[in-house]
Amino acid sequence: MDELLQHRLSVIAEPNRFRIVELLRSGPLSVGAIVDALELAQPHVSRHLRLLADAGVVDVTRQAQQRIYRLRPEPLRDIGTWAQSFAVLWTERLDRLGDFLDDTDQNGDRS
């Protein structure tokens, strides 16, 4: 796994930042809206948003006095691709388990 992907995963893994990513899934939000939804102090939310922005997971734009945050699709797509690479592994293992159970059932070895 490359270092950037690993860094992004570790940033998102923190529970409050994960909650922020989940909130932003539905669309861009202001810092105030995120503070209200998470019921965290504004400085804490701003710190989490800064770490997410530094990792390239979110973008920020300014609208008058507000900062609006949105998810960046590219880093999340990279994380999804990495996670999907495990699907083949699990499919093969589940297929082998299914074959084993079928063989066991056919041989009468199960009660």
Side-chain angles (χ1 to χ4, degrees):
M1 172 182 345
D2 72 30
E3 289 181 33
L4 182 57
L5 178 61
Q6 188 174 2
H7 175 66
R8 286 177 172 158
L9 284 169
S10 68
V11 167
I12 292 172
E14 194 280 329
N16 288 315
R17 289 191 289 271
F18 185 85
R19 290 172 58 202
I20 290 170
V21 168
E22 285 293 309
L23 283 172
L24 293 175
R25 178 192 291 228
S26 62
L29 292 171
S30 68
V31 174
I34 296 168
V35 166
D36 291 344
L38 296 182
E39 298 180 350
L40 293 173
Q42 187 273 330
H44 295 310
V45 171
S46 291
R47 180 178 166 274
H48 289 305
L49 287 166
R50 186 172 43 256
L51 290 168
L52 286 165
D54 289 347
V57 176
V58 299
D59 278 334
V60 60
T61 56
R62 214 172 165 85
Q63 289 182 356
Q65 299 299 327
Q66 293 185 327
R67 290 178 187 258
I68 307 297
Y69 286 84
R70 72 170 185 83
L71 289 176
R72 292 187 63 239
E74 301 84 9
L76 298 174
R77 199 171 16 251
D78 293 345
I79 291 169
T81 299
W82 173 79
Q84 186 63 34
S85 70
F86 290 93
V88 172
L89 170 75
W90 287 110
T91 299
E92 289 172 359
R93 288 183 180 182
L94 290 172
D95 287 347
R96 284 197 311 254
L97 175 62
D99 292 344
F100 171 77
L101 292 174
D102 288 345
D103 290 347
T104 303
D105 207 23
Q106 289 174 2
N107 293 331
D109 295 337
R110 282 187 20 192
S111 309

